[in-house]
Amino acid sequence: ERLLALVELFRLLQPDPPGPDEPVHLPTAVEEAVRLVAEHPRLAGVRCAVTVAPDAPPALARPDRARLAVYALLVAAADAGADPV
């Protein structure tokens, strides 16, 4: 079951096919990025506390880029020593 969860997380890192920007549900992008950080071997044990309003308006972007942008911010915060991230 854990292996299947990891495979699903790796799928989140794959870029989406090229195409136009579309409305992205920010809470979902943040949730997926937090899951990726939680499974990052170098970041094991890093606490991640992110709050996004569930009714946040969608952002116009490519979903893969929105998710990876949030992921990069979380990793940068962890590298800077933020606790929690």
Side-chain angles (χ1 to χ4, degrees):
E1 188 171 305
R2 178 167 163 72
L3 182 59
L4 291 175
L6 289 173
V7 168
E8 182 60 31
L9 288 173
F10 280 122
R11 286 187 183 141
L12 294 177
L13 291 172
Q14 293 179 341
D16 291 336
D21 291 346
E22 59 186 76
V24 175
H25 186 244
L26 293 177
T28 300
V30 169
E31 177 185 313
E32 291 170 342
V34 168
R35 287 176 46 212
L36 287 167
V37 168
E39 294 297 331
H40 193 293
R42 187 173 52 80
L43 302 176
V46 170
R47 296 181 307 141
C48 196
V50 180
T51 304
V52 179
D55 59 346
L60 192 59
R62 288 199 24 210
D64 61 328
R65 291 183 180 173
R67 180 176 47 248
L68 290 177
V70 175
Y71 174 75
L73 289 170
L74 294 172
V75 170
D79 286 345
D83 183 29
V85 171

